[in-house]
Amino acid sequence: MTRGRTRRRGQELEQAILDAVWAELDEVGYTGLTIEGVAARAGTSKPVIYRRWSNRAALVLAAWTSRQPSTNEPIDTGALRSDLLALFTRIAQRTDQIMNEMIAGVMGEAFRDPAVVALLQERLRSTPLAEAITRMVHRAAERGELPDVPLPGRAARLPLDLIRSEAILQRAALTEQTVVELVDEIYLPLLRGLAVSPPEAAAPAV
């Protein structure tokens, strides 16, 4: 669908563009999405879009971020395992809202474009997940569930990596059983292993 151009600026224009990206993804998928199509649907021009986003992957990532629900609500169930189950479930629900084709498309483009790789790395470094995990581990240590050990960057980011990998491979919503297995068979053993042999220094997030 093509709209006539209207005089919009700033946040209103950007949101119209991001909404158009999402509609195009739903209609034609990542492989069929073009800047021309987004511009036509948003009622703007290609130069306007390129002034804000340098390429298709950056534009899609921006649309993705704009659609992610808020996760500012803290999780504190009173036990580490139930905290992790709640967190993994929240991440899985968010991931299920993102089209798998879009994720695969952006990741595929990242392997070909160093600029997109840098963009994805920056997004991962800026995720609030590491802070949330660190708080959970600290509270667990206060309750005596495990020692309060520093988490390497990759370990703090691992829940997102695990969920994303499962979502891409399964191409379907993660089941409750899958979430339980990721927590019980992978992440809790990792945290307990770090508690037994804590790293000498937290590895930098890359």
Side-chain angles (χ1 to χ4, degrees):
M1 180 180 69
T2 302
R3 296 181 183 175
R5 296 185 183 182
T6 58
R7 294 181 63 83
R8 292 162 298 175
R9 296 178 180 176
Q11 185 60 39
E12 181 185 3
L13 175 57
E14 289 196 4
Q15 191 58 55
I17 294 170
L18 297 178
D19 289 344
V21 173
W22 207 255
E24 286 289 293
L25 286 168
D26 185 53
E27 187 171 303
V28 302
Y30 183 84
T31 56
L33 184 141
T34 64
I35 300 298
E36 291 90 341
V38 172
R41 185 180 288 270
T44 187
S45 65
K46 288 173 57 179
V48 167
I49 294 176
Y50 278 120
R51 281 200 294 270
R52 291 165 170 79
W53 299 281
S54 60
N55 52 50
R56 183 176 66 160
L59 179 59
V60 170
L61 282 172
W64 179 358
T65 301
S66 75
R67 289 297 177 114
Q68 290 180 350
S70 172
T71 56
N72 294 328
E73 303 85 356
I75 295 174
D76 187 358
T77 66
L80 179 58
R81 180 178 183 271
S82 52
D83 278 355
L84 291 173
L85 287 172
L87 178 65
F88 274 63
T89 298
R90 178 182 290 180
I91 297 172
Q93 290 170 345
R94 289 177 60 184
T95 301
D96 186 42
Q97 294 175 355
I98 308 301
M99 287 167 281
N100 286 330
E101 182 183 355
M102 184 185 72
I103 297 174
V106 172
M107 296 304 291
E109 190 154 326
F111 284 108
R112 298 189 297 272
D113 187 346
V116 179
V117 172
L119 177 63
L120 288 171
Q121 289 176 339
E122 178 58 32
R123 291 291 175 89
L124 288 173
R125 282 193 293 267
S126 62
T127 178
L129 177 62
E131 182 180 350
I133 289 288
T134 299
R135 286 198 302 267
M136 286 182 183
V137 171
H138 180 69
R139 289 197 304 268
E142 290 180 334
R143 293 191 296 263
E145 293 184 70
L146 76 171
D148 193 5
V149 298
L151 288 179
R154 292 182 185 279
R157 197 174 67 225
L158 185 59
L160 178 59
D161 294 337
L162 290 171
I163 294 292
R164 183 172 53 228
S165 175
E166 288 286 335
I168 292 174
L169 290 175
Q170 295 186 20
R171 302 189 66 82
L174 270 64
T175 66
E176 181 179 351
Q177 183 59 34
T178 297
V179 170
V180 170
E181 290 172 359
L182 291 177
V183 170
D184 288 346
E185 298 177 9
I186 299 176
Y187 204 67
L188 269 177
L190 169 67
L191 292 179
R192 290 166 180 155
L194 288 173
V196 173
S197 302
E200 294 182 1
V206 294

